[in-house]
Amino acid sequence: MSVDQITIKGAGGLRLAAEKLGDEKAMPVLLAHGGGQTRRAWKRVTHDLAEAGFCVIAIDMRGHGESDWSLDGAYELADFASDLVAIAAGLDSKPAVVGASLGGLAGMIAEGELAPGSFASLTLVDIAPRMETSGVMRVVGFMDQHVETGFASPQEAADVIARYLPHRRKRGAGGNLRHYLRESDDGRFYWHWDPLFIRNVMGSNRLDPERHEKQVEMLSQAACRLRLPLHLIRGGSSDLVSEEAVAHLRGLVPHAEYTDIADATHMVVGDSNDAFSATILKFLKHHHQSTEAGS
């Protein structure tokens, strides 16, 4: 099954790089990655979903991967959410949206605040309105650490990732890692996203408590308005989404379905891809028809 490399338009016509896989007439599933990642984070998942009969579209979020950078540094959650709304509006039918971390936050704002009714369903991958500040700071600290200095080589970046994810099998500086890096004119390698992203959205590695509480309130209000099928998938060892955060979301959205994937961290898809694919397919097949199901 071949993958089509396509370009789609986000809010304001911003060019977003994407991959499409599966029957174009089938139920669309839109995959929105987490901060600092690219569409390749879903590589195995896209094939699993396409083989199950869905039309899968995995995007590079604005400022990430091969997508355009925002000239005015528009990287607030509402900006990412507006892109998802624009993409959904350009499809023949409402997509099932699967958002990891940043992608999930954008999905909540898009469906719960900006344009209710845009999506057919929403899956949140280890993200909720209330997040553990220690987990957020760990993620922000990692992303902020080398944003200015970059790396002398892809191998140096691989070593940094290995220290950040000690539970993962260490990988070398192969071709897959190079998709997450861009080589600058100075000969150094930098993460493949706009440095303004970490500054504008994630803040510095010192989390502002007041800003954090305002964001929690904004996301909570958006979650309260969600009427579509909602699925929260949590990594059982996540340091960002606690059991209390799960209870908080389920209190806001009583009809939400919940799955805990044991031994996975915040990086659920990469940690337990097979379990994740099985979980998301069960939810999607329950709520939506795929071509395999006879649509």
Side-chain angles (χ1 to χ4, degrees), residues 74-262:
Y75 296 117
E76 298 295 333
L77 288 181
D79 298 311
F80 291 101
S82 295
D83 289 336
L84 298 184
V85 171
I87 295 170
L91 299 175
D92 293 335
S93 58
K94 295 180 182 180
V97 175
V98 181
S101 199
L102 174 65
L105 295 176
M108 271 192 282
I109 296 298
E111 179 67 27
E113 180 177 322
L114 298 186
S118 294
F119 309 151
S121 67
L122 176 61
T123 296
L124 307 175
V125 184
D126 207 66
I127 202 67
R130 188 171 295 281
M131 296 162 274
E132 294 297 308
T133 55
S134 59
V136 174
M137 291 179 71
R138 184 182 69 86
V139 174
V140 171
F142 169 75
M143 295 186 67
D144 192 50
Q145 187 176 8
H146 294 278
V147 68
E148 298 292 346
T149 59
F151 306 95
S153 67
Q155 185 57 55
E156 183 180 342
D159 293 339
V160 169
I161 293 173
R163 291 193 293 271
Y164 177 65
L165 301 172
H167 62 287
R168 294 264 191 96
R169 178 175 60 85
K170 186 176 180 180
R171 297 181 179 180
N176 188 54
L177 177 60
R178 288 179 176 272
H179 290 305
Y180 292 90
L181 298 169
R182 54 185 171 84
E183 187 173 6
S184 183
D185 293 339
D186 62 6
R188 295 185 67 81
F189 293 83
Y190 297 84
W191 295 126
H192 212 325
W193 38 266
D194 187 346
L196 283 179
F197 162 68
I198 192 71
R199 301 300 183 213
N200 289 15
V201 169
M202 307 299 280
S204 66
N205 54 19
R206 293 187 303 166
L207 191 66
D208 181 346
E210 183 176 351
R211 180 183 180 186
H212 177 69
E213 286 304 314
K214 287 182 179 179
Q215 179 170 287
V216 170
E217 179 61 25
M218 175 185 66
L219 291 167
S220 297
Q221 291 180 3
C224 283
R225 303 187 189 103
L226 296 176
R227 299 292 180 266
L228 77 178
L230 181 69
H231 188 196
L232 169 61
I233 301 177
R234 174 182 179 265
S237 299
S238 174
D239 63 348
L240 199 144
V241 177
S242 65
E243 290 289 356
E244 290 75 18
V246 173
H248 176 249
L249 175 62
R250 299 183 81 181
L252 298 172
V253 192
H255 70 271
E257 299 175 40
Y258 171 55
T259 303
D260 186 279
I261 297 183

Side-chain angles (χ1 to χ4, degrees), residues 17-31:
E19 293 180 352
K20 180 186 288 187
L21 186 64
D23 185 350
E24 290 193 2
K25 297 180 180 179
M27 169 79 189
V29 178
L30 178 62
L31 304 178

Side-chain angles (χ1 to χ4, degrees), residues 44-60:
R44 290 174 60 189
V45 177
T46 57
H47 284 272
D48 292 340
L49 293 176
E51 288 176 358
F54 293 97
C55 179
V56 189
I57 303 170
I59 65 170
D60 282 349

